[in-house]
Amino acid sequence: MNGKIKKVAAIHDLSGFGRSSLTAIIPTLSTMGVQVCPLPTAILSNHTGGFESYSYIDLTDSMSEYIDVWKKINLDFECIYSGFLGSTKQIEIVSDFIDYFGNEDNLIVVDPVMGDNGELYSSFDTTIISEMKKLIAKADMITPNFTEAAFLLGMDNPPKTINDETARDWLLKLSDMGPKIVVITSVPNAEKEEYTNVLAYDRKNNIFWKVGCRYIPAFYPGTGDIFTSVVIGSLLQGDSLPVALDRATQFISQCIKASYGFNYPKREGVLLEKELGILNMPVLISGYEML
């Protein structure tokens, strides 16, 4: 009997407080039976969303030595998953990491974290976009949010929403940049303002997917990290892409609903600990459709 547990190399920052990046990714994937091997890009006292102060230790200069040891001990991964990268130098390091550890059998996932709500994050300038385009060319799957997708497509001012025809055009153009699977999150619903969509394109099967959920007017940092983690965990468990998308969307929706009812600062993220057990319950598929 093969007792091997699938491993994910998770290349993200580590925020000590706030349920984002590695502190959200590790418990989510671990609950789904996946071993997370973190490669920290930076260590923060807390994430930067909604806090007036934070400490930041840039680990760029130590990443190559860290990776060299992984090479010496012959690690291999079923998935490589990168998220927030604080500089173009870190993007170069991740690109080299993919060249070395990537192969035909593992899944390369890039979450091109650059901005939200129509704007780049304050720590970036527009050079991050051109460098991120180079990185997503090496990915099997990318998971930008609506704003990041627009930036990757060369738009300075992302639109407020898009119709289905434009959505398919966006997905095709992003796939033409390299990735076999494109997933766009937090897409405003052009027909129902009370809903938001996850859109996806699977180039191998030439199928477009849409998963909708009711919009809850609250922002919780870290939900993108959790969403992509559930998609990865689901795919590694053998689920199809639409099932993985549906599971991730349902889980995030449940986390937000459960958290919204409690009076606490939303900058602390969703109450993930209360909901992790759902990931081991039978899957009730309900929300996906072809786009």
Side-chain angles (χ1 to χ4, degrees):
M1 181 179 294
N2 184 358
K4 183 179 180 182
I5 300 295
K6 293 181 178 179
K7 298 190 295 296
V8 172
I11 311 172
H12 300 257
D13 62 283
L14 173 63
S15 295
F17 184 72
R19 297 189 186 92
S20 68
S21 56
L22 286 173
T23 55
I25 292 164
I26 292 172
T28 301
L29 280 168
S30 296
T31 299
M32 300 183 78
V34 177
Q35 179 183 359
V36 182
C37 302
L39 169 51
T41 59
I43 297 177
L44 293 82
S45 55
N46 45 278
H47 67 73
T48 60
F51 291 95
E52 295 179 0
S53 60
Y54 58 91
S55 69
Y56 183 94
I57 301 173
D58 187 340
L59 297 181
T60 302
D61 293 339
S62 65
M63 289 174 68
S64 294
E65 181 181 358
Y66 193 111
I67 294 167
D68 286 342
V69 175
W70 279 7
K71 293 177 180 179
K72 289 178 182 177
I73 62 177
N74 297 315
L75 282 183
D76 61 87
F77 307 97
E78 280 70 30
C79 176
I80 298 168
Y81 167 28
S82 72
F84 178 83
L85 302 173
S87 65
T88 56
K89 177 61 178 176
Q90 288 193 350
I91 292 176
E92 292 173 9
I93 292 172
V94 173
S95 179
D96 291 341
F97 186 97
I98 291 171
D99 289 342
Y100 186 89
F101 289 99
N103 56 57
E104 293 182 357
D105 297 322
N106 58 17
L107 178 67
I108 312 299
V109 180
V110 173
D111 184 3
V113 179
M114 296 182 293
D116 203 356
N117 297 317
E119 298 180 352
L120 282 174
Y121 292 132
S122 58
S123 57
F124 293 138
D125 59 35
T126 54
T127 58
I128 195 72
I129 299 173
S130 59
E131 293 304 310
M132 194 61 76
K133 287 181 181 179
K134 297 176 185 177
L135 187 62
I136 68 169
K138 298 185 176 184
D140 296 313
M141 180 170 74
I142 61 172
T143 59
N145 63 31
F146 185 67
T147 294
E148 291 156 351
F151 286 151
L152 289 170
L153 291 171
M155 301 175 194
D156 296 328
N157 297 301
K160 297 297 183 182
T161 187
I162 53 176
N163 59 29
D164 287 353
E165 181 180 358
T166 302
R168 286 189 288 269
D169 181 60
W170 280 32
L171 291 163
L172 283 171
K173 287 179 178 177
L174 288 169
S175 182
D176 286 343
M177 295 181 185
K180 303 177 185 70
I181 297 172
V182 177
V183 179
I184 307 177
T185 63
S186 304
V187 180
N189 191 307
E191 299 176 354
K192 298 180 180 179
E193 292 184 0
E194 69 273 20
Y195 279 80
T196 184
N197 295 324
V198 173
L199 308 178
Y201 175 60
D202 175 359
R203 187 171 69 214
K204 180 180 178 181
N205 297 299
N206 194 30
I207 298 177
F208 299 88
W209 298 103
K210 177 165 68 174
V211 183
C213 63
R214 186 172 292 276
Y215 174 72
I216 299 175
F219 173 73
Y220 295 91
T223 52
D225 302 320
I226 299 168
F227 175 90
T228 302
S229 297
V230 176
V231 171
I232 290 170
S234 187
L235 292 174
L236 292 180
Q237 288 178 351
D239 290 333
S240 66
L241 176 62
V243 169
L245 296 172
D246 195 60
R247 288 183 69 181
T249 303
Q250 286 189 47
F251 183 69
I252 292 297
S253 296
Q254 177 58 32
C255 285
I256 293 176
K257 289 175 185 175
S259 304
Y260 195 65
F262 288 90
N263 183 21
Y264 74 101
K266 292 177 176 55
R267 67 185 185 182
E268 295 181 15
V270 293
L271 301 178
L272 180 63
E273 299 84 357
K274 290 179 174 291
E275 304 301 322
L276 281 171
I278 295 173
L279 294 172
N280 287 323
M281 296 175 65
V283 181
L284 299 176
I285 304 304
S286 61
Y288 69 81
E289 59 183 283
M290 293 180 68
L291 176 64

